[in-house]
Amino acid sequence: MALSPWSVAREMDYEEVACILAGYDPAEVSALLRHGPEFEHQVVEVFAWKRQLVEAVGRGDLKSELILVYGYPPGGDRTSKSWFREDETTLYMNVFEVDEIRMQLQRTEVARWLKASGHADDDIPEALRVTPKPRTPVAPEDKPPHHRRRHTYLTLIEALALEVLGGEIPAEPYKAAAVLQAVLERQGLKLDKDPIAKTVKEIQAARDDRATERP
């Protein structure tokens, strides 16, 4: 699905939901209807979905975050209509036309309602599925230890290896790795031979560096 305002919205107007359920882009439907009511027949399924959504909220099958209706407010001025808040009971009574109703619906709630109505996940338009979780930032790769710290690590490992191997590390890295691997296993620890052999090579390289540094 291409990125759109409805692919990231947590709440949508029920008209937008109806457009998506009918297979239309809400912006395209809005632009079409601005040309006049004579174009309504081209998006008749949108109005059918609006009625289904209104009735579902009226029955209590679907929860709306906000309901506004256009009419004469109870106890108010009866000379002009206006938008005012109402509850699900008003929708259940089927007093208002779908164009006289505004509702805010949560994507997760719409998806739950559709599933409860027997629709599989694949049947639900992607724009109405559960809001994707924010992507976890990719952790930067561990930086290699500072040269001096790395030297300290290798020196400590070398000293321990010399202690375990009787004062001498075999020149062949994998031979030394096999012996050190057995020592680790006796202590309940486990490492593959490859990283052990690589460390042995680094120890040998550090030894060579020290040898060239001596006067």
Side-chain angles (χ1 to χ4, degrees):
M1 181 185 68
L3 185 64
S4 73
W6 299 280
S7 65
V8 296
R10 291 187 178 276
E11 292 184 2
M12 288 182 279
D13 185 271
Y14 95 112
E15 289 185 334
E16 297 170 343
V17 174
C19 290
I20 294 170
L21 288 171
Y24 295 97
D25 184 307
E28 293 178 356
V29 173
S30 178
L32 177 66
L33 295 181
R34 278 199 296 270
H35 292 292
E38 63 271 20
F39 293 94
E40 290 182 359
H41 71 279
Q42 297 185 27
V43 289
V44 63
E45 193 175 353
V46 173
F47 292 93
W49 272 111
K50 288 171 70 173
R51 173 51 59 191
Q52 290 301 317
L53 290 166
V54 168
E55 291 181 358
V57 173
R59 291 192 304 268
D61 297 339
L62 176 64
K63 180 183 177 183
S64 174
E65 298 300 310
L66 173 68
I67 300 173
L68 297 175
V69 295
Y70 186 72
Y72 299 111
D77 185 2
R78 305 293 294 182
T79 61
S80 61
K81 292 183 176 182
S82 61
W83 289 99
F84 59 95
R85 295 190 66 157
E86 270 292 354
D87 57 25
E88 294 83 356
T89 305
T90 301
L91 303 186
Y92 182 75
M93 293 171 63
N94 203 20
V95 175
F96 295 91
E97 298 295 330
V98 292
D99 288 337
E100 297 176 329
I101 299 169
R102 295 287 182 270
M103 296 189 299
Q104 287 295 112
L105 303 173
Q106 284 196 3
R107 285 163 52 119
T108 52
E109 174 62 9
V110 174
R112 182 205 62 75
W113 170 66
L114 290 170
K115 290 179 183 178
S117 300
H119 296 284
D121 286 340
D122 292 342
D123 296 330
I124 300 174
E126 191 171 351
L128 296 178
R129 294 177 193 171
V130 175
T131 306
K133 294 180 180 180
R135 291 184 179 178
T136 304
V138 178
E141 293 184 2
D142 293 339
K143 294 182 179 179
H146 187 273
H147 173 73
R148 296 175 72 176
R149 183 174 292 275
R150 177 174 174 274
H151 175 74
T152 300
Y153 290 157
L154 289 175
T155 302
L156 286 170
I157 295 171
E158 180 183 0
L160 294 171
L162 288 170
E163 182 72 20
V164 170
L165 299 175
E168 185 56 47
I169 299 176
E172 170 54 48
Y174 276 91
K175 182 178 179 181
V179 178
L180 292 171
Q181 189 180 46
V183 173
L184 287 169
E185 289 177 353
R186 287 199 296 271
Q187 299 300 320
L189 303 171
K190 186 175 181 180
L191 277 178
D192 293 334
K193 285 185 181 179
D194 288 340
I196 300 175
K198 182 179 178 182
T199 303
V200 171
K201 290 178 183 178
E202 291 178 354
I203 291 173
Q204 292 171 341
R207 279 178 146 187
D208 293 340
D209 290 342
R210 289 201 302 270
T212 56
E213 291 173 0
R214 291 172 184 169

